Amino acid sequence: MDDANTEGKEWEGDFDPLADPEEKRHLLSVLDSFRSYRRLAHFNGTHVRRQAFYSLPQEHWMMLSKPPFSVLDSLNQLDDLIDSNSELAEAIFKAGFKSFIAPTIDSDWVASIVPEKYARDEYQIYSIVMDHLNVQTSQNDMDKARSCISQFYRDWSVAGNIEREKCLGPVLQALDAEFSDRSQSNANLDRSDIKVLVPGAGLGRSVFDICQAGFSVEGNEISYHELMASSLVLNHTEKAEQFSIAPFALSCSNHLSRADQFQTFTIPDIHPGTALATDPGSKVPAHKRMSMSTGDFCVLYSSPDYKETFDAVATVFFIDTAPNVIRYIEAVRNCLKAGGIWVNLGPLLWHQSPKVSSHDHEEEHEHGHTHARDAGVGDPGSVELTNDEVLALVEHLGFSIEKQELCISETGYISNPRSMLQNIYRPVYWVARKR
């Protein structure tokens, strides 16, 4: 969808991250992580490897420089692929800067610091502003930016549909079944009447697909990396296949061939604006059925403002991000209408390791900073439960499990099917109804 579809607002909510100094530093660090992608990827991806290569005995590196090895040629090719990935990273940087920073800075000040030769170069203007703000990204944010670029393969490429279908397909089937059941008692029910919440919306593909299926959907995300990236693809891409990425290029292990390592994929596989503008799935236009909120899921959706708002909640590869899964269950219970369904699919790779002391809690949370008085996912304490224990908790806290399938299908997560190393999840799938 385009900018007009969100009526001038990229995300719902009245939180201003720039009003909090710590939150502002974090936001600027995230922006800088995308801006720095090109420089750091070249340094860590090829410069360091060239240094290591030339540290080999001369007769060895000379041999490896020639066919059939041509290691130096491969490093040159890797440089080209880094540049291609960087086009996407810098587009995210520009979109994020325009959304968060540009409206808050004085245009006369910007004009005073930007040389005339860059007056029409959007990237250079924003980059100069960042330099004057003395922004420096953190290692954690740099790692997340790199991961975010690779995630586009899973969420927005044709090849990634293999993983997407295994994970979102059952969710869409459950939503379709719920609509069919409700239609039997209400012949006038439209798909848009079913309001769906998607916590941990990531790059927005699940939100887009659920909207394209005709339902009204709100995505929620706490990570600025994911918010900026999803905003780019949903609001600011001009066409399908606008970018080309090499998601596996920077990892040099477990490849059968350089061709496997250097695979490229075009994204997005579909232009969201065009697809939603022509979508006949509902009587309500798509741009009125899709939105995104930013903030802590626990804080936002446990509030009275969201009490009994949604007909369905869909969590895909999400609940294991909770330090305390009870907080997630309580938030779902609060925002879900009586009789509404909670559709869940995913593994239980608990993201939070137990804290040995209260001082450890000062470390940055995996999903970024929180900004509410209720610390939400930043609350102290954590617990790691089995699937049986999670299901027992869900039932104990007001739900009836209507369907569950263990290991519904095997799937990777941003996995290279040609790699010699395969990490496979066997996720569980269940549907619970609020009593």
Side-chain angles (χ1 to χ4, degrees):
M1 65 181 190
D2 57 28
D3 293 334
N5 291 340
T6 51
E7 299 179 352
K9 292 172 63 179
E10 302 261 336
W11 302 286
E12 300 295 330
D14 56 5
F15 170 64
D16 178 11
L18 299 182
D20 181 288
E22 182 181 357
E23 199 73 16
K24 180 178 179 179
R25 281 194 297 272
H26 177 56
L27 173 59
L28 291 171
S29 175
V30 171
L31 281 169
D32 197 46
S33 69
F34 287 116
R35 180 179 71 134
S36 302
Y37 180 95
R38 186 188 300 267
R39 173 176 58 84
L40 295 172
H42 279 304
F43 179 81
N44 296 313
T46 56
H47 175 71
V48 171
R49 286 190 169 91
R50 285 190 180 96
Q51 286 184 319
F53 181 75
Y54 284 121
S55 295
L56 294 171
Q58 183 176 7
E59 62 271 23
H60 292 179
W61 68 254
M62 290 184 67
M63 178 177 62
L64 292 172
S65 298
K66 301 173 183 178
F69 315 104
S70 304
V71 171
L72 291 175
D73 289 342
S74 294
L75 290 174
N76 290 337
Q77 187 176 354
L78 178 54
D79 273 325
D80 292 338
L81 296 174
I82 288 171
D83 285 334
S84 183
N85 286 354
S86 299
E87 293 296 317
L88 175 59
E90 289 164 9
I92 297 170
F93 163 68
K94 290 187 288 186
F97 190 99
K98 282 191 289 188
S99 295
F100 286 103
I101 307 299
T104 71
I105 55 179
D106 181 74
S107 58
D108 291 335
W109 174 72
V110 174
S112 70
I113 64 173
V114 176
E116 179 65 27
K117 64 180 179 179
Y118 296 134
R120 289 178 172 80
D121 189 325
E122 192 174 57
Y123 173 80
Q124 288 294 341
I125 293 171
Y126 297 164
S127 189
I128 290 169
V129 171
M130 294 285 284
D131 288 338
H132 276 72
L133 294 175
N134 297 316
V135 178
Q136 288 188 330
T137 189
S138 68
Q139 182 63 52
N140 188 42
D141 285 331
M142 288 187 286
D143 292 341
K144 288 182 180 180
R146 174 175 164 175
S147 175
C148 190
I149 297 301
S150 298
Q151 191 178 337
F152 273 90
Y153 161 75
R154 172 185 169 88
D155 286 6
W156 290 100
S157 77
V158 171
N161 189 56
I162 296 173
E163 291 183 4
R164 291 198 304 273
E165 175 59 29
K166 290 181 178 180
C167 296
L168 191 61
V171 174
L172 290 171
Q173 292 172 15
L175 295 175
D176 286 339
E178 181 70 8
F179 173 72
S180 297
D181 289 345
R182 295 190 182 196
S183 297
Q184 293 179 9
S185 58
N186 182 359
N188 295 320
L189 188 71
D190 186 73
R191 283 177 170 262
S192 64
D193 295 325
I194 306 295
K195 295 186 63 178
V196 184
L197 173 66
V198 181
L203 298 188
R205 185 57 186 254
S206 57
V207 175
F208 168 79
D209 285 346
I210 291 172
C211 181
Q212 196 173 33
F215 302 106
S216 297
V217 56
E218 177 172 317
N220 168 251
E221 182 56 58
I222 192 174
S223 164
Y224 287 129
H225 285 90
E226 306 283 342
L227 284 165
M228 292 177 191
S230 64
S231 174
L232 173 74
V233 71
L234 292 173
N235 297 316
H236 304 296
T237 48
E238 299 173 355
K239 59 183 180 179
E241 302 184 342
Q242 182 172 341
F243 300 95
S244 177
I245 60 170
F248 314 120
L250 287 172
S251 175
C252 294
S253 299
N254 292 309
H255 296 293
L256 291 172
S257 70
R258 291 296 177 195
D260 291 347
Q261 179 184 357
F262 293 161
Q263 295 173 81
T264 60
F265 305 88
T266 54
I267 61 97
D269 59 313
I270 185 172
H271 182 233
T274 301
L276 293 181
T278 58
D279 174 44
S282 168
K283 65 183 180 183
V284 179
H287 71 268
K288 294 184 177 180
R289 292 187 281 107
M290 186 169 75
S291 63
M292 186 78 80
S293 72
T294 175
D296 189 310
F297 168 68
C298 295
V299 176
L300 286 178
Y301 296 97
S302 294
S303 70
D305 290 343
Y306 277 100
K307 187 172 181 61
E308 298 187 348
T309 298
F310 298 98
D311 300 282
V313 174
T315 51
V316 179
F317 276 64
F318 175 71
I319 64 171
D320 54 1
T321 66
N324 177 5
V325 73
I326 294 176
R327 291 296 308 270
Y328 277 19
I329 299 171
E330 290 173 338
V332 173
R333 183 181 63 193
N334 178 72
C335 70
L336 195 60
K337 296 177 183 177
I341 60 169
W342 178 5
V343 188
N344 177 76
L345 187 146
L348 291 177
L349 177 63
W350 297 108
H351 287 45
Q352 303 299 316
S353 60
K355 302 293 190 291
V356 297
S357 73
S358 60
H359 297 292
D360 291 339
H361 181 58
E362 297 172 4
E363 297 178 1
E364 183 182 14
H365 184 267
E366 170 71 16
H367 296 278
H369 295 201
T370 61
H371 51 71
R373 184 172 301 171
D374 176 355
V377 292
D379 278 344
S382 64
V383 63
E384 298 146 314
L385 303 179
T386 67
N387 181 64
D388 288 346
E389 291 164 341
V390 170
L391 289 171
L393 260 181
V394 170
E395 290 193 302
H396 182 73
L397 293 173
F399 294 84
S400 298
I401 304 296
E402 294 193 340
K403 182 177 183 179
Q404 63 169 305
E405 297 181 31
L406 302 178
C407 311
I408 184 171
S409 63
E410 294 186 346
T411 180
Y413 195 90
I414 320 180
S415 62
N416 179 0
R418 301 183 191 175
S419 173
M420 290 186 280
L421 174 65
Q422 296 292 324
N423 291 317
I424 301 297
Y425 290 102
R426 302 172 67 197
V428 299
Y429 167 70
W430 45 261
V431 179
R433 190 174 299 275
K434 181 180 174 181
R435 293 195 291 267

